[in-house]
Amino acid sequence: MTSTTTLATRRLGRTGPTVSSPALGGMGLSGVYGQVDEDEAVRVLHAYLDAGGTLLDTADFYASGHNELLIRRALEGRDRDEVVLSVKFGALRGPDGRMSGIDARPASVRNFLTYSLQRLGTDHVDIYRPARLDPAVPVEETVGAIAELVEQGYVRHIGLSEVGAETIRRAAAVAPISDLQIEYSLLSRGIEDEIRPVCRELGIGITAYGVLSRGLIGGSGALGGARAALPRFQGANREHNGALVARLAELAAAKGVTVAQLAIAWVAAQGEDIVPVIGARRPDQVATMIDSGRVSFDAGELARIDELIPPGAAKGDRYPSQAMADLDSER
């Protein structure tokens, strides 16, 4: 399947780069929701890049560096300057693969970046961001360390991830912030009350992940890989959330699109400062994702979607309790 839609471009905040929208998230290509053949994963990345996509989102802890190596392979022979690499760092893993905290100390920032540059096969990262707020390190110190890397040419822009309004203000007082990466979807609208207004006040863009709620929206909802541990996929929560999403089917059919495309387009319609980050595991999913760009809404349709899935209607937290406790954005 080949997309017939031209990717839109949006600028990440007042100071960030201009990127394609939607962006392609790399996490799902490194086994989080089930194994993906490496050759197929490269074909997915190539499908996005060949369609004019520019923004690739990854992290050094996605399969302990595997995702960065995969992106390096996909970029071989291509113009590095045509791609915007957004990299998260700081999440710690043990040899068993389990997460074991966050480290955003200045010395660690430099160390993590050194390894990412090697794995990615590049001399700079376009956007560099701590994956979570390190409770033991003032955000000013972390952002200051990245700002030094910007001055030295190893990083182009500073991003944040899953932090609350107060932390955003503190970070932005140290150095320009291009964008906040945070979950935002029809089932996760918590940023609308305080976080999104602060970002707009400060001229910070939003790269929205979890747009399809890890497959609850427009997917099979199967409990493969990491989904089995997520509260929204458990028992009565799963049934309730599935019923919510089913309410979108009639509107999607009337517009001649899939429920997934409707949900992606809804996030994009919430503002020119928002770029959805979508995962794909097959080239045809890339085409479907890109074709969401042809979906538009009038005021009545947006109001109808709010009626079908009101803010806060989903049941179950975004993550298990321990992971939720680590989110500055949820405090």
Side-chain angles (χ1 to χ4, degrees):
M1 178 179 178
T2 301
S3 172
T4 58
T5 304
T6 301
L7 277 159
T9 57
R10 294 184 169 185
R11 187 175 182 184
L12 294 180
R14 294 191 192 121
T15 64
T18 297
V19 301
S20 60
S21 178
L24 180 64
M27 185 175 70
L29 296 174
S30 291
V32 174
Y33 300 120
Q35 290 304 311
V36 178
D37 175 79
E38 276 206 17
D39 290 339
E40 180 75 346
V42 170
R43 284 191 287 271
V44 168
L45 290 161
H46 284 173
Y48 178 71
L49 296 170
D50 291 344
T54 61
L55 180 54
L56 298 179
D57 182 79
T58 185
D60 59 12
F61 53 88
Y62 287 173
S64 304
H66 173 271
N67 202 245
E68 290 179 319
L69 291 169
L70 188 68
I71 289 174
R72 175 178 183 158
R73 179 181 163 191
L75 294 182
E76 288 177 357
R78 292 176 180 256
D79 186 346
R80 167 68 181 88
D81 291 335
E82 292 183 356
V83 179
V84 176
L85 293 178
S86 172
V87 180
K88 293 182 289 296
F89 70 88
L92 304 176
R93 285 189 185 275
D96 60 359
R98 293 186 181 183
M99 307 305 293
S100 57
I102 188 82
D103 183 358
R105 295 172 297 166
S108 299
V109 173
R110 296 186 67 84
N111 179 74
F112 287 134
L113 179 65
T114 300
Y115 284 90
S116 283
L117 293 175
Q118 178 67 28
R119 284 188 293 259
L120 288 164
T122 184
D123 62 359
H124 72 279
V125 163
D126 297 286
I127 310 171
Y128 204 48
R129 71 184 84 241
R132 297 287 186 268
L133 179 68
D134 185 339
V137 180
V139 71
E140 290 88 349
E141 293 185 13
T142 303
V143 170
I146 306 174
E148 290 181 2
L149 294 167
V150 172
E151 291 175 1
Q152 295 162 4
Y154 296 115
V155 172
R156 297 288 188 265
H157 304 279
I158 304 171
L160 299 171
S161 177
E162 285 290 357
V163 292
E166 179 185 351
T167 301
I168 294 168
R169 289 189 184 281
R170 289 170 54 193
V174 175
I177 305 298
S178 67
D179 67 297
L180 169 70
Q181 189 169 118
I182 196 163
E183 185 164 350
Y184 187 41
S185 74
L186 280 164
L187 298 182
S188 297
R189 297 180 61 174
I191 72 169
E192 294 177 350
D193 295 333
E194 188 175 7
I195 292 174
R196 186 176 66 181
V198 166
C199 285
R200 288 180 171 167
E201 174 191 337
L202 299 175
I204 296 171
I206 292 173
T207 41
Y209 77 91
V211 170
L212 299 179
S213 294
R214 298 163 186 84
L216 269 175
I217 302 176
S220 67
L223 290 178
R227 294 187 187 96
L230 299 175
R232 288 185 176 174
F233 283 83
Q234 306 304 312
N237 288 349
R238 186 181 180 191
E239 294 179 11
H240 171 85
N241 296 330
L244 281 178
V245 173
R247 298 175 182 177
L248 298 172
E250 184 176 348
L251 178 57
K255 296 182 76 64
V257 299
T258 67
V259 168
Q261 288 174 320
L262 188 83
I264 296 168
W266 179 88
V267 169
Q270 302 313 300
E272 290 292 321
D273 54 344
I274 299 175
V275 173
V277 180
I278 312 298
R281 298 172 63 201
R282 302 189 311 269
D284 64 290
Q285 291 176 329
V286 174
T288 298
M289 168 186 98
I290 292 173
D291 276 342
S292 68
R294 65 186 174 88
V295 184
S296 60
F297 303 99
D298 59 31
E301 290 170 329
L302 289 172
R304 177 59 177 156
I305 291 172
D306 274 351
E307 292 174 0
L308 294 171
I309 305 183
K315 287 189 176 180
D317 287 333
R318 299 194 277 137
Y319 292 102
S321 58
Q322 182 54 56
M324 287 294 291
D326 293 336
L327 295 178
D328 182 67
S329 56
E330 293 287 342
R331 297 189 181 119

